[in-house]
Amino acid sequence: MKKHSIKCKNFLFYCGLLMFLSELWKQYCLTCTLNHGSYNWWYFPFQLCSIPMYICLMFPIITSERLLSLMLTFLMDFGLLGGIFTFFDTTGLYYGYAPLTIHSFGWHILLIIIGIYAGRSGKADISKKGFAKTAGFFFACCLLATFFNLVFHPYGKINMFYISPYYQMGQIVYRDIAEMFGNAFGIVSYLVSILMGAGLLHLLWTRYGAHACNRQEST
């Protein structure tokens, strides 16, 4: 069990390190290549699809089994969701610089790999309580994203988690909802949809991933 946990944590840490280094490169390209040396707060790395990077970098210092389980559960539910559903609307993956476009597609493919690996690690919590905890972590991230949106708004365009009150919802479906019922309702419906999507993935893990996880735990 200890060797398996170390192997799992190491793999995810190296994924996080790869993401971190590529994110530094991305920020450099966005600032120096595309924006002539001026930083664009719109690309500040704190979106739903950015959170797995920070989580993976934390694994070497995580000693609590409960915290380890929480982080793995988030990766297999919300991280995997972010990786999958980005490909339903790929407009945000394209940049005016081809290497950044390739990076963007590669990033979200890696999210899917990380999510599946976390779900099959045998250490994630596939119970209802496990999902409730990771949903709480998700909303904590939403609150932090809102803090960034409010604090850094005077310095430029910033829309972390796409829930800034200063900008109209731009995602397909939700922009139509926002136009019909108001931007606040569009934001709420967007967050509820994320929660429901992650809940569905958690249910699938519970029903179809439990046996694979239990086999790994017994080895």
Side-chain angles (χ1 to χ4, degrees), residues 12-208:
L12 293 172
F13 169 71
Y14 289 130
C15 288
L17 185 61
L18 175 63
M19 297 170 82
F20 176 71
L21 293 175
S22 69
E23 181 63 34
L24 290 178
W25 170 81
K26 172 186 173 181
Q27 295 295 324
Y28 172 81
C29 290
L30 288 169
T31 302
C32 299
T33 304
L34 297 182
N35 209 32
H36 309 293
S38 178
Y39 187 72
N40 189 341
W41 284 96
W42 190 268
Y43 298 107
F44 183 73
F46 199 83
Q47 301 288 5
L48 177 60
C49 293
S50 305
I51 301 302
M53 174 182 70
Y54 300 111
I55 290 176
C56 288
L57 290 173
M58 287 172 53
F59 277 115
I61 61 173
I62 293 178
T63 57
S64 166
E65 287 294 322
R66 290 184 179 181
L67 183 57
L68 175 65
S69 178
L70 172 64
M71 295 296 99
L72 289 171
T73 307
F74 183 89
L75 292 175
M76 79 174 193
D77 291 342
F78 291 92
L80 181 58
L81 178 75
I84 292 174
F85 279 89
T86 298
F87 290 99
F88 283 80
D89 179 16
T90 61
T91 54
L93 299 181
Y94 293 93
Y95 293 84
Y97 185 51
L100 285 177
T101 299
I102 295 172
H103 168 272
S104 191
F105 275 87
W107 183 283
H108 291 87
I109 292 172
L110 184 57
L111 287 182
I112 295 173
I113 295 172
I114 289 173
I116 294 174
Y117 184 87
R120 293 182 59 84
S121 67
K123 304 292 289 182
D125 189 344
I126 58 175
S127 68
K128 293 180 180 178
K129 184 180 291 186
F131 177 71
K133 291 179 180 178
T134 196
F137 180 75
F138 166 69
F139 280 113
C141 291
C142 290
L143 290 176
L144 187 55
T146 300
F147 173 78
F148 287 143
N149 289 335
L150 297 176
V151 170
F152 295 115
H153 174 70
Y155 303 101
K157 292 182 178 180
I158 183 170
N159 192 6
M160 301 298 94
F161 276 47
Y162 303 110
I163 57 174
S164 173
Y166 298 108
Y167 301 101
Q168 194 77 1
M169 289 294 295
Q171 288 77 5
I172 57 172
V173 177
Y174 302 102
R175 62 191 175 206
D176 297 328
I177 294 175
E179 288 179 3
M180 293 177 62
F181 302 104
N183 199 49
F185 189 85
I187 291 175
V188 171
S189 63
Y190 173 67
L191 294 178
V192 170
S193 296
I194 293 176
L195 189 64
M196 292 176 62
L200 177 60
L201 285 177
H202 193 85
L203 181 62
L204 292 175
W205 279 115
T206 300
R207 291 191 175 183
Y208 302 107

